[in-house]
């Protein structure tokens, strides 16, 4: 079958000029984010391809990734873009990346095995900026992220960060996104609030459709009835122009006899979906085996693993290969890298819509079996695909379990919003007997995304459940501990203490030493918050003993820090914190060690004029613990201001203000006050007034 893919972009001159201008500005250090939006099939991907072509002529490097349908994989389009861009070279050998290698490892795990840094999509965004800056050869970068209507929540947070940050970088981020749907509406609103330039693609004019038909047919003479037919059917959508032409060629209604294009029969405009009809016309001449292969491929997603098709369809290798070639010939699928993908999401959807419900369920069941056999660990993206297949297969219990596992992996990468999405979906589809199990995992994630009130509400429901849903001791302990932490977060200290005490009673009745130690740490934290230092000291000391006996360095370090917080004796507190640091460092627990170092340095601040705080700040910055570094700068500025040390106060306050602005930290107003103080010490009244005015505006 002759290709009817349009070799040129038609009717987008103004949009192309905008992209070229923005790329030129990015190469000069004024990057940003451009959003290309419009309905499905309107030409967003084609304009993205044109953007890559323009970037190539300007010697601008390009990294491209795409979000996918189904269960959201955290940071998928970002990880894909960077992995492809740096597959051959690996990470640059640049000292500026040292503090962010762990954050880059959350995108591409082989880049770093260290997962002890502060998990944050904003820090991942900063890591991406640092990486592209380090790998810049002088002309800048273009980061293309496609199909963002399917992006996970954590990727969208990174995009928010890039929209604010790339304005002073030589990086242009180009997004493509369908205009319809709640995710699209939210992203469009968020980006517009940041004054991101939006290119909204409309339908082609009648003349532009005619020009596109002419280009698709090599500029040969086009029969007048054909052009009128295409204009009617396509209604200005570029993809539909190509699809209708492909369907006519496949059906033998449009042929090239050597003298030009000819119609073999009259064309009658129809009101049915042009793309669905075109796909149907191209499937008809294919063998039953080829149609079965395409149906199996569609069930697995727009991009699919061709090596699994034989197991799903029970076709031999030769038949699978012949079927794949037929799909490419009929312009339904295309070769992409070392695999295959449907030429457009709408084509895949049309193939799926041909299937009867029992057919789709059966294919999904066989595909899930094939995936389990080929990838028993469900590594990388396979867990999300398996979850999607289980949903299609009607296995709601397996789907909920897989979504929960996907959430666990997302949380381990610091992608707590994605974990929340996965667990909310699992909660929605889980059978009644499985739903409480999912909800307990959701409570833990809610603690990380700032929903303590919801943790308390759901926890009360869990504790009140009876009969077959009554909580066994281990689960009851988990719920009580999460609720105790949530109660502290909302300031209900007495309630937290009661919940922690209940958790400790459960642990002592039916739990191992490590679990009891964890419950004691929870209770000690509530006691410290309530000012009950004697109780806190007793609980922390007991937790430390249990931690030592069970080899739990994390509990030991936490217990030591709580014991330090419960004592008023200065020398003893320092000794406990020093021990907590040593325990955490020996176990490679960077975050715990930094927390104890920060407390110790804060104690010494007035004595050494913040010298130890500066050491902690430098170590935090080196390891990518941005929040800890900013907090150390804030307190160092406080001590320097008290000592009337202008230079140190100014330096620390400026760093804290910059970090707070860049990462949206709540300490910004206080940092601005210390910056104003530094200007006051330096007798710079105008600068002081300007900073105070900005701080007041922020508070309003």
């Amino acid at each position: 079958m002759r290709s009817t893919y349009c070799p040129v972009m038609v009717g987008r001159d103004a949009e192309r000029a905008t992209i070229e201008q923005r790329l030129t500005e990015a190469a000069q250090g004024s990057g940003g984010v451009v959003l290309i939006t419009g309905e499905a099939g309107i030409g967003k991907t084609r304009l993205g391809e044109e953007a890559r072509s323009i970037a190539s002529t300007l010697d601008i490097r390009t990294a491209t990734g795409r979000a996918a349908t189904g269960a959201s994989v955290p940071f998928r389009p970002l990880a894909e873009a960077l992995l492809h861009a740096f597959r051959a070279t690996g990470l640059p050998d640049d000292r500026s990346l040292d503090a962010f290698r762990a954050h880059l490892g959350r995108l591409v795990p082989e880049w770093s095995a260290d997962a002890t840094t502060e998990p944050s999509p904003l820090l991942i965004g900063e890591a991406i900026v640092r990486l592209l800056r380090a790998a810049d050869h002088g002309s800048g970068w273009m980061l293309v992220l496609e199909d963002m209507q399917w992006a996970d929540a954590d990727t969208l947070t990174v995009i928010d960060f890039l929209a604010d940050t790339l304005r002073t970088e030589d990086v242009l981020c180009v997004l493509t996104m369908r205009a319809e749907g709640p995710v699209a509406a939210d992203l469009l609103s968020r980006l517009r609030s940041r004054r991101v330039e939006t290119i909204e693609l409309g339908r082609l004019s009648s003349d532009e459709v005619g020009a596109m038909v002419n280009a698709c047919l090599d500029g040969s003479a086009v029969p007048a009835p054909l052009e009128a037919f295409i204009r009617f059917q396509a209604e200005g959508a570029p993809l539909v122009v190509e699809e209708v032409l492909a369907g006519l060629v496949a059906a033998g209604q449009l042929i090239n006899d050597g003298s030009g294009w000819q119609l073999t029969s009259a064309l009658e405009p129809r009101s049915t979906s042009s793309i669905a009809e075109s796909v149907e016309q191209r499937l008809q001449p294919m063998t039953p085996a080829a149609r079965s292969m395409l149906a199996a491929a569609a069930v697995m997603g727009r991009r699919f693993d061709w090596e699994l098709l034989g197991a799903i369809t029970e076709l031999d290798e030769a038949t699978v290969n012949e079927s794949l070639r037929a799909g490419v010939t009929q312009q339904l699928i295309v070769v992409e890298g070392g695999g295959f993908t449907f030429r457009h999401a709408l084509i895949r959807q049309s193939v799926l819509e041909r299937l009867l419900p029992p057919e789709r369920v059966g294919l999904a069941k066989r595909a899930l079996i094939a995936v389990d056999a080929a990838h028993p660990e469900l590594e990388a993206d396979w867990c999300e695909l398996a979850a999607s297949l289980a949903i299609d297969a009607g296995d709601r219990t397996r789907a909920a379990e897989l979504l929960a596992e996907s959430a666990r992996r997302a949380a381990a990468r610091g992608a707590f919003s994605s974990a929340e999405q996965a667990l909310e979906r699992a909660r929605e589809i889980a059978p009644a007997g499985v739903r409480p199990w999912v909800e307990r995992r959701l409570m833990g994630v809610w603690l990380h995304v700032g929903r303590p009130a919801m943790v308390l509400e759901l926890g009360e429901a869990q504790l009140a459940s009876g009969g077959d849903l009554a909580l066994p001791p281990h689960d009851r302990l988990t719920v009580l501990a999460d609720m105790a932490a949530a109660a502290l977060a909302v300031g209900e200290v007495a309630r937290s203490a009661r919940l922690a005490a209940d958790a400790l009673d459960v642990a002592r009745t039916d739990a191992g030493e490590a679990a009891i130690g964890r419950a004691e740490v929870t209770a000690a934290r509530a006691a410290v918050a309530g000012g009950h230092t004697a109780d806190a000291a007793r609980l922390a000391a007991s937790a430390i003993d249990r931690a030592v006996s069970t080899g739990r360095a994390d509990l030991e370090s936490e217990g030591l820090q709580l014991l330090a917080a419960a004592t008023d004796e200065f020398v003893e507190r320092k000794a406990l914190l020093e021990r907590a640091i040593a325990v955490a460092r020996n176990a490679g627990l960077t975050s715990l060690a930094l927390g104890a170092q920060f407390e110790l340095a804060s104690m010494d601040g007035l004595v050494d004029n913040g010298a130890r705080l500066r050491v902690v700040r430098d170590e935090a910055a080196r390891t990518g613990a941005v929040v800890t570094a900013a907090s150390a700068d804030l307190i160092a500025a406080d001590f320097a201001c008290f000592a009337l040390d202008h230079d140190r106060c100014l330096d620390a306050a400026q760093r804290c203000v910059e970090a707070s602005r860049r990462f949206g930290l709540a300490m910004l107003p206080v940092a601005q006050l210390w910056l104003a103080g530094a200007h006051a010490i330096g007798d710079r009244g105008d600068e002081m007034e300007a900073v105070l005015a900005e701080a007041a505006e922020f508070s309003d």
Side-chain angles (χ1 to χ4, degrees), residues 8 106 153 155 288 297 356 395 408 495 507 513 538 543 641 644 649:
V8 296
R106 296 184 186 276
T155 292
L356 295 173
D395 189 344
R408 185 194 66 78
R495 184 180 184 184
E513 288 291 290
R538 174 178 52 79
C641 187
L644 300 181
C649 183

Side-chain angles (χ1 to χ4, degrees), residues 361-393:
V361 169
L363 280 171
K365 287 180 178 179
R366 294 198 295 275
L368 183 56
I369 292 171
V371 168
D372 281 334
H375 302 276
E377 300 300 320
L378 295 179
E379 68 282 0
D381 295 351
W382 292 104
C383 184
E384 285 72 20
L385 175 59
S388 179
L389 291 171
I391 292 171
D392 286 345

Side-chain angles (χ1 to χ4, degrees), residues 176-364:
T176 70
M177 181 190 71
R178 287 188 192 175
E180 61 268 15
V183 172
D186 176 62
L187 179 58
L188 192 58
S189 175
R190 287 158 63 174
L191 293 180
R192 280 176 171 164
S193 71
R194 287 175 162 80
R195 299 184 299 279
V196 166
E197 185 159 6
T198 302
I199 298 175
E200 298 187 28
L201 296 182
R203 297 198 169 214
L204 300 179
S205 68
S206 180
D207 288 344
E208 288 168 341
V209 169
M212 187 173 176
V213 172
N214 188 270
C216 288
L217 300 182
D218 289 335
S220 304
V222 177
L226 172 65
E227 188 171 326
F229 177 79
I230 298 294
R231 285 174 173 169
F232 178 85
Q233 292 294 117
E235 296 182 333
L239 177 67
V240 180
V241 173
E242 294 174 336
E243 290 301 300
V244 172
L245 284 172
L248 293 175
V249 172
Q253 289 181 275
L254 179 64
I255 63 171
N256 192 324
D257 60 5
S259 62
W261 290 95
Q262 307 292 332
L263 291 169
T264 61
S265 61
L267 299 175
E268 296 182 6
R270 290 176 284 273
S271 60
T272 56
S273 168
S274 298
I275 291 181
E277 183 179 342
S278 171
V279 169
E280 183 66 30
Q281 287 174 319
R282 282 176 280 169
L283 287 172
Q284 284 305 318
M286 297 174 70
T287 64
R291 290 196 293 271
S292 295
M293 182 278 298
L294 281 174
V299 166
M300 287 196 292
R302 183 176 176 187
R303 283 183 286 188
F304 55 90
D305 186 346
W306 60 271
E307 293 182 296
L308 298 183
L309 293 175
I312 299 171
T313 61
E314 299 183 344
L315 298 173
D316 58 61
E317 182 178 350
T319 304
V320 168
N321 290 339
E322 291 171 4
S323 300
L324 287 168
R325 184 173 296 279
V328 172
T329 300
Q330 294 291 340
Q331 302 178 63
L332 296 169
I333 58 176
V334 295
V335 177
E336 186 178 89
F340 296 87
T341 182
F342 282 91
R343 198 167 74 81
H344 195 280
L346 294 177
I347 295 176
R348 178 214 171 207
Q349 188 61 36
S350 294
V351 173
L352 285 176
E353 288 173 354
R354 296 181 72 253
L355 299 174
L356 295 173
E359 293 175 318
R360 183 164 180 173
V361 169
L363 280 171

Side-chain angles (χ1 to χ4, degrees), residues 53-122:
S53 176
I54 297 169
S56 178
T57 62
L58 296 174
D59 198 29
I60 294 174
R61 300 182 69 183
T62 300
T64 302
R66 178 188 290 153
T69 56
S72 296
V73 181
F75 311 116
R76 176 183 180 136
L78 297 164
E80 181 180 282
L82 297 183
L83 185 59
H84 289 173
F86 293 93
R87 187 186 300 278
T89 62
L91 290 180
D93 184 13
D94 191 298
R95 291 291 301 275
S96 67
L97 290 179
D98 289 351
F100 291 90
R101 290 183 185 274
H103 299 297
L104 291 170
R106 296 184 186 276
L107 296 176
V108 183
E110 54 263 38
W111 285 352
S112 174
D114 183 6
T116 61
T117 55
E118 298 163 350
S120 165
L122 299 184

